Amino acid sequence: TSEIINIPKALFSTGDFASSNRQAIFMTPRYPIKALKATVKGFQAWFRSKKWAEELDDAIRNDEFTIYAGKLDLPEMPALNRPLSKIEEAFGTSILYRIPLVKQTIGKFVERGERVFVLTLNKFRKDVFNGWARIWRDNVSQKTYDELAEVINIGSGRGAIHGETLKAMVAHTNNLIFSMRLQISRVQALGMPLVLWKYSPPVRKVALQNIAAFWGSIGGFLALIAGTAQYLKSKDISVEINPIATDWGMLKVKDTRYDLWGGHLGWVRFAARLITGKLKTSAGEIIDIDRMDEIVKQFRLKSSPFAGTIGDLLAGQTVIGEELTTEAEDVKKQIFNRTTPGAIQDLIEAIKLYGM
């Protein structure tokens, strides 16, 4: 049942060549070259043979530092039978690789998409781990390596979950949440400064570097852009600084908004609204909110295509306020939005926006 429910999600995630730049954004500013190399390898995996991809996967999983990396969370490559907790949660299904006719058509397309996603992120995770292992070797304990693995898991979108039973339980929540462990990792990354004390000194240093690079590089870039726009008195470029605002932390260029934070600030905005009971609209108006409505809205924003559809039908509108109807055009639009690969949707949107 879970694998059937996750089919729309698998279709949506196919063709995502920027997974390391978004899902692993918390670590990317600290390791830009490793992220770029992983992205290139992932891109190659779309065009190269399955054997080539399997050999790369084997090289990632079995090198001289694998003995230390037991806690590093590396989702498995596309295969017919895998535990749900071992499947990349942005896909969450193997059923398309088993159904006759489907596996030779759509299944091949999705398989390549999952291959790209898994190899890109796994290579990035392992490269970062190996970089520190080359320095530390046998000079630190296995506990230190386990802590390093946890920091890397969190920084690359795999929330730290301890125990296979709990991981299996969390995997089943992906029927409702698009990527539960990704959301867990976002909260854990935001809260990492509060738990630095629990890590050994070498790992604390790694975590601090990740934190400083993430907030410093993106925050510094946005501050530079906002400052330059203010100096030039440009009204076309702005950065919202109020945490209860819909556009908080986003770079706004005319009517287009860019979230450079990979979804991290959404949880801070959610917390700020719950604390204050207020919201700042895109028009700049500050209004009172119902906290329970805000909680429901946050859940709908993070929901899977299946759960999102149920929520929209019950509400009679989408999470962004678009009215749902049974007219053919509206139905087609909803099906397109929930099953078409996100990369294709972005391309179409860019063509419409810039008239290409």
Side-chain angles (χ1 to χ4, degrees):
T1 303
S2 295
E3 294 205 42
I4 295 174
I5 289 173
N6 285 330
I7 288 176
K9 182 165 68 171
L11 293 172
F12 181 86
S13 298
T14 297
D16 187 351
F17 295 110
S19 55
S20 67
N21 297 324
R22 184 186 62 259
Q23 184 158 324
I25 186 63
F26 195 76
M27 289 201 310
T28 297
R30 173 62 182 86
Y31 308 99
I33 303 303
K34 286 182 171 63
L36 178 61
K37 288 181 178 179
T39 301
V40 170
K41 283 294 183 181
F43 185 77
Q44 288 179 306
W46 180 275
F47 302 98
R48 303 292 289 269
S49 68
K50 184 177 180 179
K51 181 181 179 182
W52 181 92
E54 289 173 343
E55 289 176 350
L56 176 58
D57 180 63
D58 183 67
I60 292 170
R61 296 177 186 276
N62 300 290
D63 57 32
E64 62 178 310
F65 302 113
T66 296
I67 188 173
Y68 304 121
K71 297 295 184 180
L72 193 63
D73 205 326
L74 304 176
E76 294 182 2
M77 285 278 285
L80 297 181
N81 297 296
R82 297 171 290 173
L84 198 58
S85 61
K86 298 295 184 182
I87 301 176
E88 169 52 56
E89 60 180 358
F91 288 78
T93 183
S94 297
I95 199 169
L96 295 173
Y97 312 145
R98 299 196 294 265
I99 303 174
L101 296 181
V102 173
K103 65 181 180 181
Q104 285 91 5
T105 52
I106 297 175
K108 282 193 173 181
F109 182 67
V110 174
E111 188 273 336
R112 286 180 181 271
E114 186 178 1
R115 184 196 303 174
V116 169
F117 212 101
V118 169
L119 286 177
T120 300
L121 286 164
N122 282 358
K123 178 169 174 55
F124 186 36
R125 293 177 181 118
K126 196 62 184 295
D127 284 354
V128 173
F129 185 93
N130 288 357
W132 289 107
R134 286 191 183 91
I135 298 172
W136 297 345
R137 299 283 177 171
D138 293 326
N139 297 317
V140 299
S141 67
Q142 183 57 50
K143 183 177 181 293
T144 298
Y145 280 116
D146 291 346
E147 292 174 355
L148 174 65
E150 178 176 291
V151 168
I152 292 173
N153 290 338
I154 292 171
S156 60
R158 295 287 286 184
I161 305 288
H162 301 290
E164 293 304 318
T165 301
L166 186 56
K167 286 181 181 179
M169 292 173 62
V170 170
H172 283 284
T173 65
N174 286 318
N175 298 339
L176 302 177
I177 304 299
F178 193 94
S179 295
M180 176 59 89
R181 291 191 63 179
L182 173 63
Q183 299 310 321
I184 292 173
S185 77
R186 295 310 191 226
V187 175
Q188 289 176 330
L190 290 168
M192 191 169 286
L194 302 177
V195 297
L196 286 173
W197 58 268
K198 76 175 186 177
Y199 296 126
S200 58
V203 177
R204 194 178 305 138
K205 174 183 176 181
V206 174
L208 280 169
Q209 289 178 359
N210 290 348
I211 293 167
F214 175 70
W215 292 105
S217 62
I218 301 177
F221 173 75
L222 290 175
L224 177 63
I225 293 296
T228 302
Q230 187 174 17
Y231 177 76
L232 297 176
K233 298 181 179 179
S234 172
K235 296 182 179 180
D236 293 332
I237 301 175
S238 63
V239 178
E240 175 61 64
I241 60 174
N242 191 329
I244 64 172
T246 301
D247 301 332
W248 180 53
M250 292 187 185
L251 174 63
K252 183 179 178 183
V253 181
K254 293 185 178 180
D255 294 327
T256 304
R257 294 162 177 80
Y258 300 94
D259 181 6
L260 306 183
W261 302 95
H264 286 82
L265 294 195
W267 287 104
V268 181
R269 180 173 60 243
F270 173 62
R273 288 178 176 177
L274 290 184
I275 292 169
T276 64
K278 297 184 181 297
L279 172 155
K280 182 179 179 181
T281 67
S282 297
E285 182 183 3
I286 296 179
I287 60 176
D288 293 328
I289 61 170
D290 183 294
R291 288 180 171 85
M292 183 53 67
D293 287 345
E294 190 67 23
I295 291 171
V296 172
K297 180 182 178 182
Q298 182 74 355
F299 173 80
R300 291 178 65 192
L301 283 169
K302 305 302 181 183
S303 63
S304 67
F306 170 77
T309 300
I310 300 299
D312 290 352
L313 290 173
L314 291 174
Q317 62 180 16
T318 68
V319 70
I320 59 174
E322 295 178 341
E323 185 180 357
L324 286 181
T325 70
T326 56
E327 294 181 6
E329 281 302 313
D330 195 34
V331 173
K332 287 180 182 177
K333 179 181 178 181
Q334 293 305 318
I335 293 174
F336 176 84
N337 289 343
R338 298 174 198 278
T339 60
T340 303
I344 294 177
Q345 292 191 44
D346 291 343
L347 177 61
I348 293 173
E349 188 66 28
I351 292 173
K352 288 181 180 179
L353 182 62
Y354 297 107
M356 297 168 60

